[in-house]
């Protein structure tokens, strides 16, 4: 560096100290918006009304001394302090919730609390989704009448005991038993081996009074498969474990420290026969077992669990991206003191991720509506429910596996974007990575889930080959042979790639090629089918990923068409939403270039066209990166990261946070014993 350049650099640093440039930089970035940020916030929330309710809910939290995290930073709390805080928030929320008369505000407050606290979200998720929905899905009307009022009002606190020390995604291999005693009309719950210990059970460590335990059903020494049983764990007044129940905390974890993950062992625990949830499977008083109409029923609760990943992705990754993008526009580096967001390596790593959140937001709303409609059929048309549940089970498994793996990669992109500052827990990215990791294994390991999806895809393709008409998420298989006739791409210029349907067709072609190839291998192999499957496992999992991404793109294209006929505020957002969809669809092609080249579909020049279009779209949307993340509406207190401050004055806030940390300044407790003897002359 020359003397003049060094002097210029020192002058720039002095300017930063005397007058922070962050607020000016973010103000300039916000002036680049080609769309109305408030209207985009409405769309992201699903409606203007919910957006208003959500803003009100955030304000309620910030003003409430029990819902709001007290002075200091949550990352400085010990594990016991975090757990007490979260349970206090739940206790307070239940009281506040009962006073609210507006259903929309009630919904918004719950949503806002889950955005605010990952630990709160997980505790309420275990109780409200896993435990409660198990009773709703698998319990008879009489059982729901007995349990649901206490569940809804948290007079009993539930957990979901599926996974075991030696078993997780292979549910049929679970070892915990429920043996029917017809003399006393009771089931005896047992953990017959060490590996049968229920393991990684959220809220079992300290909190839950009851669990829905998945057990092998034994009648007269014969196993009838798995079923769901409501088992009391703790005395509701004293908190003491009930006779025959041994449970404890799982100990130190990689993340989610506010959730008391635990383990449970059952030793001859007796429960009434009526505690077996019997909507689909039944055991009569005389010990007769009545099987469910469809084995897929056993996975119903898990479908809803897996679909919640879409909402969780928007929250966890949306916050991380907001922090990384704001920091990238505030941080200035190099001789010319430019914003690091302007480096191609920086914005290409983040802009497609921002586009992805918008796609996931749209898909989340669509599939939730489909799932809610399907759930209604449990009560109104069970035959129709059983007809459709297999498709959405495969789709939920594919989306969960694909999006959580992608989310891990995206969080790593955010970590890199913050450089060394990402190593500080106060900037939220590190803790987010710790909290996120379990999503790739919890609720079903991704490798297993994506194979479930692959089996459905291969089975559906076989039906299509046999001349059967397909529907649901694989309806396009009916026309996939038309795509297989295409040998080479007709891609000639970048403009073609701005047509999302054109990119969708290319993606469909790739899926068709993989389907045809894998079906041929699996159906013609002379070796053990399990061996053939295992030898092609990587390709089968990739097929499921392609299917899941294609579903998202297809639904986004349809949603854009609907927005064009929506309220004027949403119609006016279509140009920027179209750009986001264009980028994401090109991103899918870009990420699959290797496969397109291997198949001979693309030549070298066509691959270059894809790369050039991809980088061009990233650069174009980089200009609006701050308005795009602002539209998600996360207040500073929810982000909990100084480097993500809305006003851009990040360094002052960051320094003050560090300065206020416990033990920041002072003599350490070990000085006298281990430092003074070394340094005292």
């Amino acid at each position: 560096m020359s003397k003049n350049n060094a002097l210029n650099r020192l002058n720039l640093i002095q300017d930063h100290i005397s007058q922070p440039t962050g607020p000016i930089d973010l103000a300039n970035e916000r002036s680049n918006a080609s769309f109305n940020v408030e209207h985009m916030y409405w769309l992201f929330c699903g409606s203007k009304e919910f957006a208003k309710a959500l803003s009100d809910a955030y304000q309620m939290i910030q003003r409430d001394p029990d819902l709001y995290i007290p002075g200091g930073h949550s990352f400085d709390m010990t594990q016991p302090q975090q757990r007490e805080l979260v349970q206090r928030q739940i206790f307070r929320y239940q009281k506040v919730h009962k006073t609210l008369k507006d259903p929309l505000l009630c919904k918004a407050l719950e949503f806002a609390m889950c955005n605010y606290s990952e630990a709160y979200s997980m505790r309420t998720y275990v109780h409200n989704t896993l435990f409660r929905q198990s009773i709703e899905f698998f319990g008879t009307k009489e059982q729901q009448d007995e349990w649901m009022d206490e569940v809804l009002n948290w007079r009993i606190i539930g957990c979901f005991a599926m996974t075991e020390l030696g078993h997780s995604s292979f549910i049929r291999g679970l070892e915990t038993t429920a043996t029917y005693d017809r003399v006393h009309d009771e089931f005896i719950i047992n953990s017959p081996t060490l590996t049968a210990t229920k393991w990684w059970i959220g809220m079992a460590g300290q909190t839950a009074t009851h669990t829905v335990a998945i057990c092998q059903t034994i009648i007269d020494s014969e196993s009838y498969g798995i079923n769901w049983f409501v088992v009391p764990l703790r005395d509701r007044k004293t908190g003491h474990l009930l006779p025959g129940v041994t449970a404890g905390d799982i100990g130190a974890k990689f993340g989610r420290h506010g959730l008391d993950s635990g383990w449970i062992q059952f030793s001859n625990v007796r429960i009434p026969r009526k505690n077996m949830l019997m909507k689909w499977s039944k055991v009569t008083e005389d010990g007769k077992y009545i099987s469910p109409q469809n084995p897929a029923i056993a996975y119903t609760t898990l479908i809803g669990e897996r679909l919640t990943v879409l909402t969780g992705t928007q929250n966890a990754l949306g916050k991380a991206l907001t922090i990384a993008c704001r920091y990238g526009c505030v941080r200035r580096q190099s001789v010319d003191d430019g914003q690091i967001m302007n480096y191609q390596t920086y914005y290409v790593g983040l802009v497609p991720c921002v586009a992805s959140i918008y796609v996931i937001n749209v898909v989340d709303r669509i599939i939730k509506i489909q799932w809610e409609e399907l759930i209604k059929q449990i009560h109104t048309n069970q035959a129709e429910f059983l007809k459709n549940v297999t498709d959405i089970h495969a789709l939920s498994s594919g989306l969960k596996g694909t999006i959580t793996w992608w989310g891990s990669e995206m969080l790593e992109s955010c970590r890199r974007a913050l450089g060394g500052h990402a190593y500080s827990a106060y900037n939220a990215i590190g803790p987010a990575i710790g909290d996120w990791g379990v999503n790739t294994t919890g609720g079903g390991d991704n490798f297993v889930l994506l194979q479930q999806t692959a089996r459905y895809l291969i089975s559906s393709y076989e039906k299509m080959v046999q001349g059967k008409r397909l529907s649901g998420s694989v309806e396009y298989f009916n026309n996939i042979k038309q795509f297989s006739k295409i040998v080479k791409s007709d891609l000639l210029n970048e403009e073609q790639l701005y047509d999302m349907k054109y990119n969708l067709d290319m993606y469909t072609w790739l899926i068709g090629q993989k389907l045809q190839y894998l079906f041929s291998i699996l159906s013609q192999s002379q070796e053990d089918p399990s061996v053939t499957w295992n030898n092609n496992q990587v390709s089968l999992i990739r097929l499921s990923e392609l299917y899941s991404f294609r579903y998202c793109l297809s639904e986004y294209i349809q949603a854009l068409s609907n927005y064009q006929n929506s309220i004027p505020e949403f119609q006016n957002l279509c140009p920027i939403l179209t750009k986001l969809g264009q980028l994401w669809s090109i991103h899918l092609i870009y990420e699959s270039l290797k496969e397109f080249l291997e198949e001979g579909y693309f030549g070298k020049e066509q691959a270059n066209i894809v790369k050039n279009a991809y980088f061009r779209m990233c650069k174009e949307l980089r200009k609006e990166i701050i308005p795009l993340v602002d539209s998600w509406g996360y207040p500073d207190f929810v982000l909990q990261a100084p480097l993500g401050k809305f006003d851009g004055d990040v360094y002052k806030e960051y320094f003050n946070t560090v300065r206020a940390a416990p033990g920041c300044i002072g003599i350490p407790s070990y000085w006298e014993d281990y430092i003074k003897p070394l340094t005292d002359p």
Side-chain angles (χ1 to χ4, degrees):
M1 182 182 293
S2 69
K3 183 177 180 180
N4 287 336
N5 285 338
L7 183 60
N8 290 336
R9 179 64 181 153
L10 288 172
N11 289 333
L12 288 168
I13 293 172
Q14 186 176 17
D15 290 341
H16 287 325
I17 295 171
S18 61
Q19 183 179 358
T21 58
I24 299 172
D25 288 331
L26 289 192
N28 289 335
E29 294 285 338
R30 291 182 174 115
S31 69
N32 292 332
S34 65
F35 61 94
N36 187 302
V37 171
E38 183 182 20
H39 294 169
M40 185 66 88
Y41 177 55
W42 297 353
L43 183 140
F44 198 77
C45 291
S47 70
K48 175 182 178 180
E49 293 73 21
F50 187 72
K52 173 64 167 61
L54 186 58
S55 297
D56 291 344
Y58 282 136
Q59 185 180 75
M60 288 177 65
I61 294 169
Q62 203 166 11
R63 291 175 173 178
D64 192 294
D66 287 320
L67 295 179
Y68 186 67
I69 295 174
H73 205 290
S74 60
F75 298 131
D76 286 322
M77 291 182 177
T78 64
Q79 185 191 80
Q81 288 173 332
Q82 287 188 47
R83 293 184 177 181
E84 181 177 348
L85 168 65
V86 174
Q87 196 56 46
R88 185 171 81 236
Q89 289 174 321
I90 292 172
F91 179 77
R92 177 62 174 169
Y93 172 83
Q94 291 304 312
K95 289 185 174 296
V96 172
H97 179 266
K98 291 176 182 178
T99 67
L100 300 178
K101 306 301 181 185
D102 180 359
L104 196 62
L105 184 57
C106 288
K107 178 182 177 182
L109 184 59
E110 174 71 9
F111 188 77
M113 280 301 303
C114 290
N115 284 350
Y116 181 36
S117 168
E118 175 71 16
Y120 176 95
S121 174
M122 282 306 302
R123 283 198 180 215
T124 56
Y125 167 77
V126 168
H127 177 82
N128 290 331
T129 300
L130 298 181
F131 181 73
R132 190 189 81 195
Q133 288 190 5
S134 292
I135 296 174
E136 290 175 338
F137 292 161
F138 298 105
T140 63
K141 182 181 184 304
E142 292 75 20
Q143 289 173 320
Q144 291 181 36
D145 290 343
E146 176 181 357
W147 294 102
M148 287 310 295
D149 183 64
E150 292 195 297
V151 172
L152 290 170
N153 289 285
W154 286 69
R155 287 193 290 272
I156 63 174
I157 299 174
C159 63
F160 183 69
M162 181 178 78
T163 53
E164 297 175 352
L165 180 60
H167 307 273
S168 56
S169 299
F170 184 55
I171 298 179
R172 286 173 292 170
L174 297 179
E175 295 182 75
T176 304
T177 58
T179 303
Y180 183 56
D181 176 2
R182 60 166 51 86
V183 174
H184 298 95
D185 195 26
E186 293 176 332
F187 281 101
I188 306 170
I189 312 299
N190 262 310
S191 305
T193 65
L194 177 65
T195 52
T197 304
K198 292 297 183 182
W199 202 260
W200 286 121
I201 311 303
M203 297 224 292
Q206 299 171 335
T207 310
T209 62
H210 292 67
T211 189
V212 168
I214 302 180
C215 308
Q216 298 287 351
T217 309
I218 310 296
I219 304 173
D220 296 331
S221 301
E222 184 177 349
S223 176
Y224 288 86
I226 62 167
N227 281 286
W228 274 241
F229 299 84
V230 178
V231 185
L233 299 177
R234 290 180 172 89
D235 185 291
R236 287 196 274 175
K237 292 183 179 179
T238 66
H240 290 156
L241 293 169
L242 296 174
V245 176
T246 309
D249 194 81
I250 214 80
K253 298 180 295 184
F254 190 64
R256 298 193 175 181
H257 306 296
L259 174 67
D260 55 320
S261 304
W263 54 270
I264 311 170
Q265 292 175 332
F266 301 105
S267 302
N268 297 310
V269 176
R270 286 182 171 269
I271 59 172
R273 178 175 57 87
K274 66 182 179 65
N275 278 29
M276 172 183 169
L277 298 177
M278 297 197 202
K279 176 179 285 184
W280 307 100
S281 305
K282 295 179 176 62
V283 173
T284 63
E285 187 174 355
D286 62 358
K288 180 182 178 182
Y289 183 78
I290 302 173
S291 302
Q293 298 177 49
N294 189 322
I297 289 297
Y299 300 97
T300 305
T301 301
L302 302 179
I303 293 173
E305 176 188 5
R306 289 162 188 167
L307 292 178
T308 61
V309 163
L310 296 169
T311 303
T313 299
Q314 295 167 67
N315 180 35
L317 285 302
K319 290 190 290 188
L321 281 166
T322 300
I323 296 163
C325 290
R326 287 178 181 169
Y327 176 72
C329 292
V330 167
R331 179 73 168 188
R332 290 182 170 273
Q333 201 73 38
S334 79
V335 175
D336 65 355
D337 203 41
Q339 294 168 291
I340 61 173
M341 178 60 82
N342 291 331
Y343 289 108
Q344 186 185 60
T345 50
Y346 199 97
Y347 65 75
V348 168
L350 295 180
V351 174
C353 300
V354 171
S356 301
I357 295 296
Y358 279 92
V359 173
I360 292 170
N361 175 261
V362 167
V363 173
D364 185 23
R365 282 199 297 277
I366 291 170
I367 201 167
K368 274 182 180 173
I369 293 172
Q370 294 174 354
W371 177 236
E372 288 168 2
E373 290 300 314
L374 190 59
I375 288 301
K376 292 177 184 177
Q377 294 175 353
I378 291 179
H379 307 289
T380 60
N381 190 342
Q382 290 186 6
E384 190 68 18
F385 171 79
L386 292 171
K387 175 184 173 184
N388 295 319
V389 72
T390 305
D391 183 73
I392 201 165
H393 171 256
L395 182 58
S396 69
S397 296
L399 289 172
K400 189 269 183 186
T402 301
I403 288 176
T404 55
W405 270 344
W406 167 82
S408 295
E409 295 172 3
M410 188 164 71
L411 280 170
E412 175 61 16
S413 295
C414 292
R415 186 196 66 78
R416 293 175 183 175
L418 262 64
H421 291 317
Y423 201 65
S424 170
Y426 299 132
N427 289 316
I429 304 298
I433 291 173
D435 289 342
W436 181 261
V438 69
N439 287 315
T440 64
T441 50
D445 184 271
N446 285 357
F447 287 108
V448 175
L449 294 187
L450 290 167
Q451 287 182 81
Q452 291 177 1
T453 301
R455 291 188 189 281
Y456 174 72
L457 298 178
I458 296 296
S459 171
S460 297
Y461 185 80
E462 182 178 21
K463 291 177 182 177
M464 184 274 296
V465 170
Q466 294 169 349
K468 297 178 181 178
R469 191 78 183 167
L470 302 177
S471 60
S473 66
V474 293
E475 185 174 5
Y476 63 94
F477 283 17
N478 295 317
N479 304 316
I480 214 159
K481 284 186 177 180
Q482 297 177 14
F483 289 94
S484 65
K485 297 176 183 178
I486 302 170
V487 178
K488 295 280 187 180
S489 170
D490 63 355
L491 179 64
L492 297 174
N493 54 65
E494 292 181 27
E495 284 68 27
Q496 290 171 273
L497 294 170
Y498 301 142
D499 181 350
M500 285 178 273
K501 291 184 179 179
Y502 181 81
N503 296 336
L504 182 69
D505 285 346
M506 285 198 289
Y507 221 61
T508 304
W509 179 90
L510 184 58
I511 291 172
Q513 294 299 111
K514 289 193 175 294
L515 267 172
Q516 186 176 352
Y517 170 74
L518 289 166
F519 176 72
S520 175
I521 288 178
L522 293 169
S523 61
Q524 296 177 19
S525 173
Q526 299 301 310
E527 59 186 351
D528 186 302
S530 64
V531 173
T532 308
W533 183 275
N534 187 56
N535 289 340
N536 293 275
Q537 201 173 56
V538 171
S539 295
L540 287 160
I541 287 174
R542 178 58 178 158
L543 171 65
S544 296
E545 291 178 315
L546 293 171
Y547 153 82
S548 302
F549 281 135
R550 186 203 177 277
Y551 172 83
C552 292
L553 178 57
S554 176
E555 294 300 320
Y556 187 81
I557 292 171
Q558 181 58 50
L560 268 181
S561 176
N562 295 338
Y563 288 145
Q564 289 168 354
N565 299 307
S566 184
I567 61 175
E569 290 85 353
F570 290 177
Q571 290 179 25
N572 294 334
L573 296 173
C574 284
I576 185 66
L577 291 171
T578 299
K579 282 186 179 181
L580 291 164
Q582 288 170 334
L583 171 59
W584 198 69
S585 68
I586 297 171
H587 171 75
L588 294 182
I589 305 300
Y590 176 79
E591 290 293 308
S592 305
L593 274 180
K594 175 185 174 183
E595 290 156 301
F596 281 112
L597 288 165
E598 285 177 345
E599 296 287 349
Y601 187 73
F602 282 160
K604 179 180 177 181
E605 291 303 317
Q606 291 170 315
N608 285 331
I609 290 172
V610 172
K611 287 192 288 186
N612 291 337
Y614 181 56
F615 294 146
R616 191 185 309 278
M617 284 298 299
C618 286
K619 188 173 184 178
E620 177 69 21
L621 282 166
R622 176 266 169 269
K623 300 171 186 174
E624 302 193 72
I625 196 72
I626 294 302
L628 285 169
V629 299
D630 282 353
S631 298
W632 301 337
Y634 294 113
D636 284 349
F637 83 93
V638 171
L639 293 178
Q640 301 182 65
L643 294 188
K645 275 201 72 184
F646 181 86
D647 67 8
D649 192 6
V650 300
Y651 296 118
K652 178 181 177 182
E653 184 73 14
Y654 185 20
F655 181 79
N656 287 342
T657 300
V658 172
R659 181 68 177 77
C664 176
I665 297 175
I667 300 171
S669 59
Y670 50 84
W671 179 276
E672 288 292 329
D673 292 331
Y674 304 116
I675 298 178
K676 182 179 178 181
L678 295 174
T679 61
D680 192 2

